[in-house]
Amino acid sequence: MPKNIKYYRKAFTHKSSVTSSDKHKQYNERLEFLGDCIIDAIIADYLFQKYPNESEGFLTKMKSKIVNRKSLNQIAVQLHLDSYLQSNIANVKENDALGNAFEALIGAMYLDKGFDFTKQYFISKIIERFFDISFLEANDTNYKSQLLEIVQKKKQTIVFDSEGVEPGPENSSQFVSIIKIDNVAVATAKASTKKEAEQRASKIVIESMNIH
Amino acid sequence: MPKNIKYYRKAFTHKSSVTSSDKHKQYNERLEFLGDCIIDAIIADYLFQKYPNESEGFLTKMKSKIVNRKSLNQIAVQLHLDSYLQSNIANVKENDALGNAFEALIGAMYLDKGFDFTKQYFISKIIERFFDISFLEANDTNYKSQLLEIVQKKKQTIVFDSEGVEPGPENSSQFVSIIKIDNVAVATAKASTKKEAEQRASKIVIESMNIH
């Protein structure tokens, strides 16, 4: 049972339902900030223990497959958070507000019950219930192919300008990739392989599309 | 006193000092991944408690002022981690390896002593010792001016193409900013003000410069 109900009430209060706009304490954005970082820490620990022999790169990729805008929104819908959220949003299920409320809920639980409780809850009730970890493990998030799909849908042209550049730190070779959409360079990234540089640049473009 | 010394030993083992390259367990990158997320969670909690009336945007900005590549490297130098780090790097103090080892150290402490102990340690021995929080609060991180400084040093030209675009979610106005360096668009970002869009785009450019 919750010890302090006020945190949970705040987690379910969207900015749009609060009239006095200057009172950050009254709605869930601060809790969402906290919950986002708590979720990252829990997943980092979970993956670290689950995959004792995998590289940091593998762990980072798996983390972003588990927590992202889309997965948080989907979890929130499956938890029926829309019945709890106080908001003035017309189509709340087509909005990031639900995923944000879920992050805020985890922030509230952390404040109320502490890190270890929240970690146990998140692993057993969220990760193990909503994610097929072996499926995620097998399916690589391919930002380049995602981006190509988006661009084709919008009937835009896309060009990857990728080339080797001067040696990077510790003499590793370096590649730089510039992505041009409709002839405008929209992102650039460096990495030690051409493939990874293109993936990173594609990720930047995809993420900048999600910025509201 | 540490309960499990092996974590700390690993935190101070850089990849360059390990000969069998396929053994991710032997060097500190996995611990660095974990420690990075633990540090974020600790700082989010610290700022949430310290600033009960500030917005999520303020908390996010403060967090990035406290933890970043530069500050982590500086803390690591001040903690003399260079005397502990096993590596084959020539100028270890001019390398991110020290800051990374510091993140790994926090990951090791978390595994050894748990979240609450690590949080207390980090707040009292790191944040309160190394950061002037009121100074950081007063000084805004201005990514645009940082970027202008970098570009001027390199004698490159920079142009900010910023304009209002179609209304965003909930009818808020939207601005998009494209940064062109030497006539090549290198980043783009959206926000509800022109100033913020330029700051976000500048941040993308600065961070892409730090990718190795």
Side-chain angles (χ1 to χ4, degrees), chain A residues 115-133:
Chain A
F115 186 82
D116 293 333
F117 179 95
T118 309
K119 184 175 110 181
Q120 292 315 321
Y121 169 86
F122 197 90
I123 292 174
S124 63
K125 305 288 181 191
I126 305 296
I127 299 183
E128 289 173 358
R129 182 168 156 205
F130 291 115
F131 293 98
D132 184 339
I133 297 291

Side-chain angles (χ1 to χ4, degrees), chain B residues 50-76:
Chain B
K50 187 175 174 79
Y51 298 103
N53 296 311
E54 297 287 353
S55 71
E56 177 270 339
F58 174 90
L59 300 176
T60 304
K61 264 195 192 159
M62 279 298 286
K63 183 156 83 69
S64 68
K65 286 185 201 178
I66 296 175
V67 220
N68 51 61
R69 205 60 276 144
K70 202 174 140 192
S71 71
L72 291 171
N73 289 344
Q74 283 172 347
I75 291 168

Side-chain angles (χ1 to χ4, degrees), chain A residues 173-192:
Chain A
S173 61
Q174 287 274 289
F175 289 83
V176 64
S177 172
I178 300 171
I179 295 180
K180 293 184 185 164
I181 294 182
D182 283 347
N183 239 359
V184 176
V186 289
T188 177
K190 267 190 216 172
S192 59

Side-chain angles (χ1 to χ4, degrees), chain B residues 151-185:
Chain B
V151 165
Q152 278 157 11
K153 234 178 246 172
K154 294 186 178 177
K155 302 191 194 310
Q156 293 170 314
T157 63
I158 184 164
V159 173
F160 290 80
D161 265 354
S162 304
E163 54 176 344
V165 289
E166 76 289 350
E170 293 156 47
N171 283 319
S172 55
S173 61
Q174 287 273 292
F175 290 84
V176 66
S177 172
I178 300 170
I179 295 179
K180 293 183 185 165
I181 295 183
D182 284 348
N183 240 358
V184 175

Side-chain angles (χ1 to χ4, degrees), chain A residues 7 14-16 22 24-25 27 29-34 37-38 40-45 47-49 51-57 59-60 63 89 95 110-111 114-116 119 169-170 174 178-180 184-192 200 204 208-209 211-212, chain B residues 7 14-16 22 24-25 27 29-34 37-38 40-45 47-49 51-57 59-60 63 89 95 110-111 114-116 119 169-170 174 178-180 184-192 200 204 208-209 211-212:
Chain A
Y7 295 133
H14 186 260
K15 185 159 62 171
S16 63
D22 58 342
H24 301 297
K25 284 183 82 167
Y27 53 84
E29 279 187 2
R30 286 168 44 85
L31 280 172
E32 178 198 332
F33 163 78
L34 179 61
C37 295
I38 299 298
D40 269 5
I42 290 169
I43 293 178
D45 182 2
L47 293 172
F48 187 92
Q49 311 284 354
Y51 297 103
N53 295 311
E54 297 288 350
S55 71
E56 177 268 340
L59 300 176
T60 303
K63 183 156 84 64
I89 302 169
N95 191 291
Y110 167 76
L111 291 174
F115 186 82
D116 293 333
K119 184 175 110 181
E170 294 158 45
Q174 287 274 289
I178 300 171
I179 295 180
K180 293 184 185 164
V184 176
V186 289
T188 177
K190 267 190 216 172
S192 59
R200 286 186 183 179
I204 291 171
S208 76
M209 289 172 174
I211 293 173
H212 297 314
Chain B
Y7 296 132
H14 186 262
K15 186 160 58 170
S16 63
D22 59 341
H24 301 296
K25 285 183 82 166
Y27 53 84
E29 279 187 1
R30 285 168 44 85
L31 280 172
E32 179 198 331
F33 162 79
L34 178 61
C37 295
I38 298 300
D40 270 4
I42 290 169
I43 292 178
D45 182 3
L47 293 172
F48 186 92
Q49 312 283 353
Y51 298 103
N53 296 311
E54 297 287 353
S55 71
E56 177 270 339
L59 300 176
T60 304
K63 183 156 83 69
I89 302 169
N95 190 291
Y110 167 77
L111 292 175
F115 185 82
D116 295 332
K119 184 175 110 179
E170 293 156 47
Q174 287 273 292
I178 300 170
I179 295 179
K180 293 183 185 165
V184 175
V186 289
T188 180
K190 268 190 215 171
S192 58
R200 286 187 184 177
I204 292 171
S208 76
M209 287 171 175
I211 293 173
H212 295 314

